Amino acid sequence: MAEAQNDFSDDDVVRSVREGHVRDFEILVERYKRKIVNFIHKMIFDYDEAQSLAQDTFIKVYQAIPKYNSLDNFQSFIFTIAQNTTLNYIKKQKHIQFFSSFLSPGEENNHFRAADNQYELMEKDQQDEIVSTALKKINENQRLALILKVYLDFSYQQIAEITGWSIPKIETLISRAKSNLKKQVHHILKIS
Amino acid sequence: MDIDEDSDMNPIENSTGLELLEQVMAGVKELPEIEPRPDFTRQVMFNIKEKEKLGRFVFPSLILTPFQLIFSPFQKLGLQGILQGIYFTRNREKK
């Protein structure tokens, strides 16, 4: 199956993997790796961690394949796992930042500073940097909703499937995200 | 788009309200993509195979049945010893 990968739907490949053809899982990795790496990267803005969390996501997807219901959308299934993996990582980072702020006061946002440097090495464009810096500063649920809607161009229905949130909640989160992002961009421009 | 701090032509700084919001949203939409590492797929498949091996050969010996989970700590500590200890302590308190 791996040779003629474009001829098969996600569900066909999942069925084949379930039947024991582990190598066919490669087709799904090839199909989604770019989207997943970029989705995670836009949530955390750290190149190395995005690659690592995306790898974890695919391993979790493989392990969760027995639970996948073919009535669901496979893309939503994989993005739900990517979203949970990323939000758990962000939560852990918050704990680390909280405790490290006691150990070394005045050195907040070390993690993001390191990520900033990496991001700068990859992309020099200053406007992208302003947008990404502002994105990092908004609440993670607002950021998640905005990335799914604006960056990945998902419908409200797809976002609801991925996140488990109601459509009115998603609309509220996106509206707040937009407002806060605008404020952050203003703030960054003022202090620069 | 470069942003010149001193220039009046800075598109973000000189716009307000809706205009700024539109520009920021366009900025989000056009954030540069990154490439997955060249060995990304190979790494994922390698890790899956490793996990499969672990699942087959190591996990069964580590999995405890509910019966073992409940009774093995008591067996180790000696359930009889604990009960005797409680009995003697109570008796001593009464005396």
Side-chain angles (χ1 to χ4, degrees):
Chain A
M1 188 187 262
E3 289 79 33
Q5 48 177 282
N6 290 331
D7 300 341
F8 296 96
S9 71
D10 290 346
D11 284 351
D12 290 336
V13 183
V14 168
R15 210 171 300 124
S16 174
V17 174
R18 272 181 180 160
E19 284 165 5
H21 304 111
V22 180
R23 271 203 65 194
D24 285 344
F25 189 70
E26 260 186 58
I27 299 170
L28 297 173
V29 179
E30 281 295 320
R31 219 171 258 179
Y32 286 101
K33 66 180 181 183
R34 199 182 169 88
K35 274 188 182 177
I36 296 295
V37 166
N38 276 286
F39 163 60
I40 297 174
H41 182 251
K42 270 53 195 183
M43 285 294 293
I44 62 172
F45 291 96
D46 184 322
Y47 178 83
D48 289 326
E49 288 295 347
Q51 301 279 350
S52 164
L53 292 175
Q55 295 234 345
D56 289 349
T57 299
F58 280 105
I59 293 165
K60 286 177 188 169
V61 168
Y62 178 79
Q63 289 172 326
I65 270 186
K67 291 180 209 156
Y68 170 68
N69 181 351
S70 55
L71 295 173
D72 300 333
N73 180 318
F74 187 76
Q75 180 170 261
S76 301
F77 177 72
I78 196 167
F79 268 92
T80 304
I81 294 175
Q83 166 214 265
N84 292 340
T85 307
T86 311
L87 290 179
N88 282 340
Y89 169 81
I90 292 171
K91 210 183 280 177
K92 276 184 198 160
Q93 288 302 315
K94 273 187 176 174
H95 283 294
I96 294 168
Q97 280 183 352
F98 177 74
F99 286 111
S100 64
S101 67
F102 282 111
L103 295 171
S104 52
E107 285 188 26
E108 289 169 4
N109 293 329
N110 271 346
H111 165 69
F112 281 140
R113 247 180 246 165
D116 277 346
N117 292 339
Q118 257 170 359
Y119 194 71
E120 273 176 31
L121 288 174
M122 286 166 50
E123 182 59 60
K124 297 285 180 197
D125 190 274
Q126 208 175 350
Q127 197 168 5
D128 286 338
E129 202 188 310
I130 290 169
V131 171
S132 55
T133 307
L135 265 174
K136 279 182 275 184
K137 295 195 172 174
I138 65 172
N139 167 288
E140 60 263 24
N141 284 348
Q142 292 174 16
R143 185 160 73 236
L144 174 66
L146 195 76
I147 293 297
L148 290 171
K149 183 79 191 111
V150 180
Y151 182 72
L152 290 165
D153 209 18
F154 283 156
S155 67
Y156 283 105
Q157 188 55 45
Q158 283 175 307
I159 300 172
E161 280 174 22
I162 293 167
T163 58
W165 296 331
S166 66
I167 290 177
K169 181 177 174 173
I170 297 164
E171 285 171 341
T172 309
L173 281 170
I174 291 173
S175 164
R176 285 184 187 155
K178 284 180 177 178
S179 158
N180 288 333
L181 198 62
K182 197 175 77 179
K183 279 182 201 160
Q184 287 296 339
V185 169
H186 258 306
H187 181 69
I188 293 164
L189 290 170
K190 262 186 203 168
I191 58 169
S192 66
Chain B
M1 199 184 296
D2 287 336
I3 294 167
D4 182 356
E5 289 172 26
D6 302 317
S7 167
D8 288 334
M9 296 303 286
N10 181 334
I12 288 183
E13 205 168 8
N14 289 322
S15 55
T16 51
L18 275 176
E19 207 182 313
L20 174 65
L21 184 61
E22 275 171 20
Q23 283 172 354
V24 173
M25 286 306 111
V28 173
K29 209 175 174 62
E30 286 156 19
L31 279 170
E33 284 203 357
I34 62 163
E35 290 292 331
R37 286 203 180 108
D39 62 343
F40 187 92
T41 307
R42 198 180 54 79
Q43 273 289 334
V44 171
M45 295 312 291
F46 174 79
N47 287 328
I48 284 172
K49 277 170 197 160
E50 288 298 301
K51 294 242 172 195
E52 282 272 291
K53 278 186 207 165
L54 280 175
R56 269 183 212 147
F57 302 118
V58 179
F59 270 15
S61 63
L62 294 177
I63 294 169
L64 294 172
T65 63
F67 179 83
Q68 284 172 312
L69 279 173
I70 294 166
F71 290 105
S72 60
F74 288 114
Q75 282 170 350
K76 277 180 192 166
L77 291 170
L79 182 60
Q80 202 181 352
I82 295 168
L83 292 173
Q84 279 178 342
I86 294 168
Y87 177 78
F88 285 121
T89 316
R90 280 189 170 181
N91 273 356
R92 199 184 296 157
E93 280 169 4
K94 279 179 188 171
K95 283 174 188 174

